[in-house]
Amino acid sequence: MLNNLTDTEEGDGGAQSQGDNNPKESSPFINSSDAAAEKSQQYDGKNMALFEEEMDTSPMVSSLLSSLANYSNLPQGSKEHEEAENNEAESSRKKPIKAPQLGTLMGVYLPCIQNIFGVILFLRMTWLVGIGGVIGTFVIVTMCCTTTMLTAISMSAIATNGVVPAGGSYYMISRSLGPEFGGAVGICFYLGTTFAGAMYILGAIELLLIYIAPKAAIFPLEGLEGAEAEAALLNNMRVYGTILLTSMATVVFVGVKYVNKLALVFLACVILSILAVYAGVIKTGIDAPDFPVCILGNRTLVWKNFDVCAKTIESANGTVTTQLWRMFCDSPFLNATCDKYFTANNVSRVQGIPGVTSGILAENLFGNYYEKGDLVARKEMDSVEGVDDPLTNANRYVLADITSFFTLLVGIYFPSVTGIMAGSNRSGDLRDAQKSIPIGTIAAITTTSTVYMSSVVLFGACIEGVVLRDKFGEGVNGNLVIGTLAWPSPWVIVIGSFFSTCGAGLQSLTGAPRLLQAIAKDSIVPALRIFGHGKANGEPTWSLLLTACICESGILIASLDAVAPILSMFFLMCYMFVNLACALQTLLRTPNWRPRFKFYHWALSFLGMSLCLTLMFLCSWYYAIIAMVIAGSIYKYIEFAGAEKEWGDGIRGLSLSAARYALMRLEEGPPHTKNWRPQLLVLVGTDSEQNVEQPRLLSLTNQLKAGKGLTIVGTALEGTYLENSDQAQRAEQALRKLMETEKVKGFCQVTVSSNLRDATSHLLQASGLGGLKHNAVLVSWPRNWKQADEHQTWRNFIELVRETTAAHLALLVPKNISAFPSNGERFTEGHIDVWWIVHDGGMLMLLPFLLRQHKVWRKCKMRIFTVAQMDDNSIQMKKDLTTFLYHLRIDAMVEVVEMHDSDISAYTYEKTLVMEQRSQILKQINLTKNEREREIQSITDSSRGSIRRKNPAAVTTQLSVTEDQPGASKEEKPEEESKSASSPVSPPVQVQLIHDNTTPASPATPAAPLTPATEGAQSPGEQVQMTWTEKCDGEPAKPPGAATPEGIKDIFNMKPEWENLNQSNVRRMHTALRLNGVILKKSSEAKLVLLNMPGPPKNRTGDENYMEFLEVLTEGLNRVLLVRGGGREVITIYS
């Protein structure tokens, strides 16, 4: 019980995981060492002597508590604790691991603050407020922050549900939702983190080239307009972005410790920048800074290459034109020809930062969305322009660089609230992860949400609308817009945001490769295994290389506004599944779901999941679809090619709940005929090495099922389970392996019982669960049933036929199973012939249809033969059957075979004689000596009674072995009793039978004593009987002259001998022979023959004969499938 509890909590299947065959830790306890196990094994105290034999498997509680007390999280980037190898445990004893000491503030809160505050706040927040308006932007911020808060609540519940090793968000998702979802979402999170690195690098380059060192541009923008200027800017971003990415990747490769040491410096830059903004807001209420904006008419001018916002100025020499005049006119003189719009409108100077008390907030409440190339205008001012006047001197005005709309703003803003998992990613370094992660993450989200929401209002209240909508600050002399608000200088924001974006980029390039390495080491995505390797110290070299390549693809896009929605998709996908994981665990009420964090609810998780899905499609519906396709493809790839993992995940629990619900629904009643499909119980035999003897049986199963419905492959073992449990496990593994090879989807079951008959019966009765039970049994024909040492095989087979009939199960018996095609074979032509003799509920119609769905039988055509008796109208039968098949929507050729009554041939009698003689031989061989003597006596007595009732002339033929067993019913009529007496055949025939069937000789015993009535004068018949008995006893005696062909002829020509045969057997043999002849004539070339399987006799006196009838019926046919219906209709003409 203790082991089970620990295994459940650890999400491991025990010492060996079922799917991947990787060795797990040697003990079921967390980080337990071999020394502790040895100590528990060497324990020899008398107080616990009662448990001393279990010490190796169930160590003492003291050793368990010691292991738990010494537990320490593994360092980030290494294998999770349940995948630790034994040699790692050994090395951990040699190297003492330093206990993690980070608390809530340094371990969770500040890293989350640093990751959440980023490039969007400094470069795009003012533009978002200007385009979307204060109200619209506030709605966006509220939606995004609510989403992350709900996700943080769900994440806190998952993170506090047990010990969280290093691995962070990926670990939580994969262990909660399973390897398929975990791998898919883990890779999405990795891609999101990688593209975040590209976004940070592009932000840093934008700050560098536009605000810090514009002259450093390799592709100069001077004198370029429109598309040319845009292309030059993007090319500059690509070149410098690639250089910066290479530099950062080199730093990460050389030593990640330097990145971690600089993290506090970058965090200080972020905090100082935000404080500078708030200080600037306060200062605007006291003394607004002087950042004028020059407006011509209502168009915002690019403040560049002019110093005074006026057309002319008055000086001592009179009116003098300004630099602005020269930009729009062809000469500096007052009589120059100027731009039409410049002449018609006045130039006005507007304060860019009017201050928090100016009342500008009312003008910025609502949004102003632009098309690409639109003029950024101040709508409150007058503008004189012709309707048809073309736009001239476009490069002099501030223009919209992209088409803006509400959903675009959502996509650009959302990356600014990501980073909430920075604390959980450091779970391996936390002193108390279960306490620090919820408090630190929720506090960080609360802080950042407050800053974002207040920023929206304060920006709208302090900054002029045209300045807010001026993305690159061209109207305020090329300053960063948020920098104009900062105190004491705009450079505080510029420099601070540059270093913070560089630091965030470094953090992304550090974290993403480790995340990929963790996924690769889990071995759930086979294609990523190479990325699990790294340098000797564990640094993920190959992962870093791949990350840099993916990051470069983002840099080549070169637009911050285009990259932001991409990473929004991947982060939203990740957050959505975190919420789903929490909701599932809560609703399923998994016993292991016991989070310490109590302030969660499944409704909140579903709300968070819904918000994530909504935001995905709000940001970009086509990016959302692409992200889902990527995640879905990864999911299916892992499901198809990945290693099976048992992590105790929620999806497994969901499957269990769904299965339970479905099973309860199935119990409500049997399936409708339209929904009936063969749910197969496949009974196979195994050899002494537990290998399956009839592998083609599973090939046929695959062809019948095509992967649909229930399949249970079962085998029976003889013995007791305690002694044969290892053999049962080997047999189960062999069944699984063969099922996997033959692509049979289903379950396998091995039953052990004292004898095979009972074991098979247990399989038949106990397989399946509730309404999900088999309705058909597939078992191969016993091949060597005629051999004397195989007598129990055919008896078991007949009992199985009887049991399936009693249980109302359909029975499918393929004969010559080794001749059936494998799954790789293809029939290019041929027929599947159905011989429909008795109605079986439609099984014979349905099975060929199902077979032809498989590629092996697809090219075969279906033919249906039915038998017409003397009084049947064969023409009408064919017409009716054709109509019936038409309504069943089954394409098949129809033929009615007429079988008129005919006399029973001499060959039929001979065949019956041989059959009954063989039955007696088989029965007699299996009797003990005493039973044999009693049997002979009863035969003799029975024969005397028959002789008295029959013609005295036939005395010599009456003394023979009867078919009835000693326990036969006494109520049988004397006539039937007489008919059931078997006539003997000559000794050569008997000898030939024995040799043909390789019957081993029984131990030599004296011949059974004959009664005095028969000792006096023995007839030839008596001599034959005597010879048969002696032969069975191993005596070589033969009567003289009995071996001549003339003797055989004389015996077979004796009419009374035929009359004394069991007439029921004669009739059945006659039917079998005639049917076999007709089937051979019509279907000898068929690829498969399906045939009604006759039922066994109700009493057990004719079991041996039953097998002979079936043998005769199918003689000469290559592939036969004998079918017995289950007593219900399985096919219908109705829709």
Side-chain angles (χ1 to χ4, degrees), residues 126 353 463 467-468 470-473 476 479-485:
T126 53
I353 311 291
I463 304 176
V467 179
L468 288 172
D470 182 4
K471 183 184 289 186
F472 301 111
V476 286
N479 283 295
L480 181 63
V481 174
I482 194 173
T484 61
L485 189 61

Side-chain angles (χ1 to χ4, degrees), residues 993-1009:
L993 282 173
I994 292 170
H995 285 303
D996 284 348
N997 293 294
T998 63
T999 305
S1002 303
T1005 57

Side-chain angles (χ1 to χ4, degrees), residues 299 328 339-342 389-397:
R299 300 176 180 177
F328 285 93
D339 182 86
K340 189 175 181 180
Y341 186 83
F342 180 77
D389 289 346
L391 179 63
T392 55
N393 294 299
N395 61 331
R396 310 297 183 192
Y397 303 110

Side-chain angles (χ1 to χ4, degrees), residues 7 136 216 233 413 534 669 681 747 762 861 929 978 995 1126:
D7 289 348
L233 176 62
Y413 173 73
L681 170 62
F747 311 99
H762 298 335
K861 294 181 180 179
K929 175 182 176 182
S978 171
H995 285 303

Side-chain angles (χ1 to χ4, degrees), residues 222-238:
E222 294 294 332
L224 299 179
E225 293 185 15
E228 293 180 351
E230 183 181 357
L233 176 62
L234 294 180
N235 287 332
N236 283 321
M237 300 279 281
R238 292 184 180 107

Side-chain angles (χ1 to χ4, degrees), residues 998-1075:
T998 63
T999 305
S1002 303
T1005 57
L1010 295 175
T1011 59
T1014 59
E1015 286 177 355
Q1018 293 182 345
S1019 66
E1022 289 172 275
Q1023 292 175 2
V1024 171
Q1025 175 65 43
M1026 187 68 184
T1027 304
W1028 175 78
T1029 305
E1030 289 174 348
K1031 182 62 186 174
C1032 289
D1033 287 342
E1035 297 292 337
K1038 296 180 182 178
T1044 61
E1046 292 78 7
I1048 298 172
K1049 184 177 180 182
D1050 290 339
I1051 290 172
F1052 279 139
N1053 284 335
M1054 296 164 89
K1055 186 68 176 179
E1057 181 177 299
W1058 290 353
E1059 288 180 351
N1060 292 330
L1061 288 173
N1062 186 323
Q1063 292 303 310
S1064 174
N1065 287 344
V1066 173
R1067 290 195 307 273
R1068 291 180 182 180
M1069 182 63 74
H1070 176 64
T1071 304
L1073 283 170
R1074 290 211 62 202
L1075 271 177

Side-chain angles (χ1 to χ4, degrees), residues 42 104 114 178 219 261 310 352 383 455 573 682 712 749 756 774 807 819 862 874 944 949 973 976:
Q42 294 170 359
T104 303
Q114 180 186 1
F219 301 92
K261 288 180 180 178
S383 174
S455 296
M573 181 86 72
V682 186
I712 302 173
Q749 190 168 348
L756 292 178
H774 53 277
M862 185 172 163
S874 59
R944 283 204 194 101
R949 288 190 297 271
K973 297 178 181 179
E976 185 65 27

